[in-house]
Amino acid sequence: MPSLDDEENPELRDFSRRFWWTLPLTLIVLVLAMFGHYWPALSVTARTWIELALAVPVVLWAGWPFFERCVASIRNRSPNMFTLIGIGVAAAFGYSVVATIAPDLFPASFREHGRVGVYFEAAAVIVSLTLLGQLLELRARSKTGAAIKALLGLAPKTARRINDDGSEEDIPLEHVHVGNRLRVRPGEKVPVDGDVVEGRSSIDESMLTGEPIPVEKATGDSVIGATLNTTGALVIRAGKVGSDTVLSQIVQLVAQAQRSRAPMQRMADKVAYWFVLAVLAAATATFFVWGLFGPEPAWTFAVLNAVSVLIIACPCALGLATPMSIMVATGRAAQHGVLFRDAEAIERLRTIDTLIVDKTGTLTEGRPAFREAIALNGFVEAQVLQLAASLDQGSEHPLAAAIVAGARERGLQLDKAEEFDSVTGLGVRGRVNGHELALGNSALMRELDIELQAQHDIAETLRKQGATAMFLAIDGRLAGIVAVADPIKESAAATIDALQAAGLRIVMATGDGETTARAVAAELGLDEVHGEVRPQGKAELVQKLKAEGRRVAMAGDGINDAPALAAADVGIAMGTGTDVAMSSAQVTLVRGDLRGILRARELSAATVGNMKQNLGFAFSYNALGVPIAAGVLYPVFGLLLSPMIAALAMSLSSVSVVANALRLAKTSLSVAPSTSRSPERAPGAAQD
């Protein structure tokens, strides 16, 4: 389990040091090999020895971990990409060392300009490219712990304990025990799970439920650690501490989901086993056939041709096939506001058939906004909104801010409120322009003896549409109803239509009530809806759908979505959401717009197709080059593929792979769908 004190991955630190210290050496060797003959002041022999001196630390120090993995793969009889890399680098480097130290061992026909061709640049470049690929992979892997660290950082570091003698002191969170009385002041986080024993307040539980509207708490109500106390002061009794808290359980869920996710099985690995065996068999057969049956000097020809086979089969192009496509695709995606955390997400996204979406911040804007004012008993709508907003100017509640903003957007002049009083859990009261006003829920109206029976159906209809309905009383008479809601994003409806047309089943899972959830689902035409779902429930829903054989993506923006984002085949976070959600997800939509999923799926399909093409290029070169390097054309045409030509063919295969991957940068992606439905959405928000 990661902790806040974890240092950088030691393997990542080690590989970074090896890569950056030897990269300049690799570049110098490459320049000498490619352009050294243009410098007459530098003799061929001197250039060769300089290349050897510079290549030694690159191959033997920077590349040492790959040789260890190569030996381990052979010892465990599980050949893989590192087997190819180790053997290819060893062949190119070993051959070049012998050619430098003892060139007379080779026949005169293999000498050019007084020396035998060397391939230090091939060995060094392969090591540096492989190190770069490992660095990218390790950095992506290290980010999986970022979600857990962000979750751990949510909990306050201290708690204010009330001692038996009435004194108070701040103590470290780990010193809190079950039964302790703790004071939570306005603006502070609740330290642990427990029950309210004194006071009233509103608690922002969006980190747990995703619902942006604070929940009223009074004596006897339960509170959850790491949630934010907004307005009032509370005294709570600790009920669960340490690993038993809800936050700790969420951390455990995220960690478990991340550990259970199978590592990506790249397409190249599926054939690596047989490819390695085939290359080794070809090189071995080449060596013995030439040594036993070839012309003199037979064993010299045997060594050179076997080395040619190993060099031309060196997996430079094969190793580039997938990473190059991924690199270009991630850059292309970033231009359209889609960030992929790793290659696994790109490969998997195209196979998704079920998309689970959160409501708040994903389908909706994530913040309450004024919807409408309904005038009653002879009052007019503008008057109802103007008086309600004037009264609410003194309130810090998000619903009040939405009403005030709505009135100002409509150009209404707000008046000063006097004798303002906020009644926690009920609403607000005060005097505006000599009128006694009260704005709040039905409980506040009953307290003022105001009859609501006739207006009950109106309020209930608003709630079924996902709005919060508040009653306004003026001088003891019911004047109207003010509705506030979390509006649906403008692009949500058209995007849902497009995703469903692409064959995805859209499921909404939200911490909001069933009525609100079903109102939003009905407006958007979703296939399935689950309301009042806790973080554990979302993760369980993901696991349930996966057990049914469905390939599941989860889109959300809150801390409460983190376990489900980590458990899904592909987690998609809204960039407008929390850092925890983005750390848990494999894909982040920077603009918080679901339309990015359409582009991401198209790019996923294009990228996988591009990777297949790259693998085809790589294997085609090997299929043609290995037999020629082995000498199959020699009996008929007298042609041999020298190691130098083999290295050139290896380079050409890499160039073709890179060029093909770059085509992804020009991939045509769909224009985002425009909203085809009425802009007057049924918003979703908490109920009265």
Side-chain angles (χ1 to χ4, degrees):
M1 180 72 68
S3 71
L4 290 173
D5 300 326
D6 279 353
E7 297 181 355
E8 185 184 35
N9 183 340
E11 186 179 20
L12 174 59
R13 188 167 58 249
D14 177 53
F15 274 40
S16 296
R17 185 173 64 253
R18 293 176 189 267
F19 175 75
W20 291 112
W21 275 99
T22 58
L23 180 61
L25 304 182
T26 298
L27 295 176
I28 295 173
V29 171
L30 183 62
V31 170
L32 286 174
M34 296 294 102
F35 308 105
H37 57 280
Y38 291 114
W39 301 332
L42 191 64
S43 68
V44 173
T45 302
R47 191 172 76 238
T48 302
W49 280 98
I50 292 174
E51 289 180 26
L52 170 60
L54 295 176
V56 165
V58 179
V59 174
L60 298 185
W61 178 64
W64 187 253
F66 306 141
F67 290 123
E68 290 181 326
R69 296 179 185 185
C70 174
V71 172
S73 69
I74 296 172
R75 184 188 302 119
N76 297 328
R77 300 177 183 177
S78 59
N80 52 40
M81 293 296 293
F82 289 107
T83 315
L84 290 173
I85 291 168
I87 293 175
V89 171
F93 183 73
Y95 165 81
S96 301
V97 169
V98 174
T100 301
I101 296 175
D104 294 337
L105 293 177
F106 299 88
S109 59
F110 283 91
R111 298 195 188 104
E112 270 189 52
H113 307 294
R115 73 161 188 171
V116 180
V118 294
Y119 308 99
F120 292 117
E121 80 284 356
V125 167
I126 291 169
V127 169
S128 292
L129 285 175
T130 306
L131 275 172
L132 178 60
Q134 289 298 294
L135 283 177
L136 296 176
E137 180 180 339
L138 287 168
R139 283 175 179 166
R141 193 188 309 164
S142 68
K143 291 179 182 178
T144 61
I148 298 176
K149 291 183 180 181
L151 283 169
L152 292 170
L154 289 173
K157 303 297 184 291
T158 62
R160 189 165 187 82
R161 184 175 63 190
I162 303 176
N163 299 318
D164 293 338
D165 60 2
S167 63
E168 299 183 8
E169 61 176 332
D170 291 325
I171 61 173
L173 190 64
E174 54 268 23
H175 292 175
V176 175
H177 299 288
V178 174
N180 284 164
R181 288 194 307 150
L182 308 171
R183 185 177 299 281
V184 187
R185 292 165 290 194
E188 291 183 340
K189 288 184 177 180
V190 178
V192 296
D193 298 1
D195 298 311
V196 178
V197 295
E198 182 183 323
R200 298 178 69 95
S201 184
S202 298
I203 301 291
D204 181 355
E205 295 185 342
S206 58
M207 60 79 66
L208 180 69
T209 65
E211 172 53 49
I213 299 175
V215 180
E216 306 293 345
K217 298 290 183 180
T219 302
D221 292 334
S222 61
V223 292
I224 300 170
T227 55
L228 180 65
N229 182 29
T230 58
T231 56
L234 296 174
V235 175
I236 68 169
R237 189 177 303 279
K240 293 180 179 179
V241 299
S243 61
D244 294 330
T245 64
V246 170
L247 178 62
S248 295
Q249 291 171 9
I250 293 177
V251 171
Q252 293 283 353
L253 284 171
V254 174
Q256 180 180 346
Q258 289 182 342
R259 286 195 302 267
S260 65
R261 177 182 289 137
M264 182 181 65
Q265 187 67 37
R266 291 182 177 173
M267 286 176 286
D269 292 336
K270 296 178 181 178
V271 295
Y273 181 89
W274 297 107
F275 178 74
V276 173
L277 294 182
V279 170
L280 294 176
T284 303
T286 299
F287 178 78
F288 283 108
V289 168
W290 276 95
L292 296 174
F293 306 108
E296 291 298 330
W299 291 105
T300 299
F301 280 115
V303 170
L304 291 175
N305 291 332
V307 168
S308 293
V309 169
L310 290 172
I311 289 177
I312 201 169
C314 197
C316 197
L318 192 61
L320 285 172
T322 299
M324 276 303 301
S325 297
I326 295 300
M327 185 169 63
V328 177
T330 51
R332 176 68 168 159
Q335 293 175 349
H336 289 273
V338 180
L339 302 180
F340 288 103
R341 195 179 72 186
D342 51 35
E344 183 180 9
I346 298 180
E347 288 195 31
R348 284 186 174 183
L349 191 57
R350 68 189 180 96
T351 66
I352 295 300
D353 57 27
T354 302
L355 174 64
I356 301 177
V357 293
D358 180 41
K359 179 187 75 66
T360 306
T362 304
L363 296 176
T364 67
E365 296 291 348
R367 57 184 181 276
F370 171 75
R371 178 180 173 181
E372 63 179 306
I374 300 175
L376 304 170
N377 299 328
F379 292 91
V380 296
E381 293 182 10
Q383 183 184 16
V384 170
L385 177 58
Q386 190 269 339
L387 289 173
S390 297
L391 178 61
D392 263 338
Q393 287 183 100
S395 175
E396 298 177 353
H397 199 285
L399 294 180
I403 294 172
V404 172
R408 286 176 174 160
E409 287 174 3
R410 288 157 179 77
L412 298 179
Q413 182 66 40
L414 304 187
D415 298 316
K416 183 179 179 181
E418 300 174 341
E419 301 177 15
F420 177 84
D421 180 30
S422 176
V423 186
T424 303
L426 299 178
V428 293
R429 301 173 65 174
R431 179 185 294 273
V432 176
N433 290 336
H435 297 287
E436 293 287 343
L437 304 183
L439 178 66
N441 57 22
S442 55
L444 179 61
M445 296 298 107
R446 285 194 296 270
E447 188 176 286
L448 298 175
D449 294 325
I450 296 176
E451 178 60 44
L452 297 177
Q453 188 62 38
Q455 287 73 33
H456 175 77
D457 291 342
I458 299 175
E460 190 61 26
T461 298
L462 290 170
R463 292 170 188 142
K464 287 181 179 179
Q465 293 175 350
T468 296
M470 290 168 284
F471 299 97
L472 176 67
I474 302 177
D475 296 328
R477 293 177 57 211
L478 186 62
I481 301 175
V482 180
V484 174
D486 183 8
I488 291 175
K489 290 183 177 180
E490 185 179 354
S491 62
T495 304
I496 293 297
D497 288 344
L499 290 170
Q500 289 173 328
L504 270 68
R505 178 176 179 80
I506 311 299
V507 179
M508 184 173 73
T510 176
D512 281 2
E514 285 285 348
T515 302
T516 301
R518 294 193 179 280
V520 175
E523 175 67 16
L524 294 176
L526 304 183
D527 299 295
E528 188 177 330
V529 58
H530 300 269
E532 299 179 2
V533 182
R534 293 293 184 179
Q536 295 89 335
K538 291 186 180 182
E540 289 168 1
L541 177 61
V542 170
Q543 298 292 358
K544 174 178 175 292
L545 291 171
K546 290 173 68 174
E548 294 173 357
R550 306 194 71 86
R551 299 181 186 92
V552 182
M554 169 72 192
D557 74 328
I559 295 164
N560 59 309
D561 301 317
L565 288 169
D569 293 304
V570 178
I572 304 172
M574 301 294 107
T576 52
T578 64
D579 291 339
V580 174
M582 288 183 276
S583 298
S584 299
Q586 292 175 290
V587 181
T588 297
L589 306 182
V590 176
R591 300 179 183 91
D593 192 336
L594 283 177
R595 288 177 291 190
I597 297 177
L598 291 171
R599 295 191 183 99
R601 290 188 82 243
E602 291 178 358
L603 194 58
S604 171
T607 303
V608 172
N610 190 268
M611 286 191 288
K612 290 180 179 179
Q613 294 167 1
N614 286 345
L615 290 171
F617 280 125
F619 284 115
S620 295
Y621 274 103
N622 282 304
L624 293 173
V626 169
I628 296 175
V632 296
L633 297 181
Y634 185 81
V636 179
F637 301 102
L639 294 177
L640 288 176
L641 187 66
S642 73
M644 183 175 294
I645 302 300
L648 177 61
M650 180 187 70
S651 299
L652 288 175
S653 66
S654 299
V655 170
S656 66
V657 164
V658 171
N660 187 58
L662 290 175
R663 293 193 307 110
L664 275 175
K666 298 182 179 179
T667 300
S668 177
L669 300 179
S670 295
V671 177
S674 60
T675 51
S676 57
R677 304 184 187 179
S678 169
E680 295 181 358
R681 308 259 177 250
Q687 297 183 59
D688 176 26

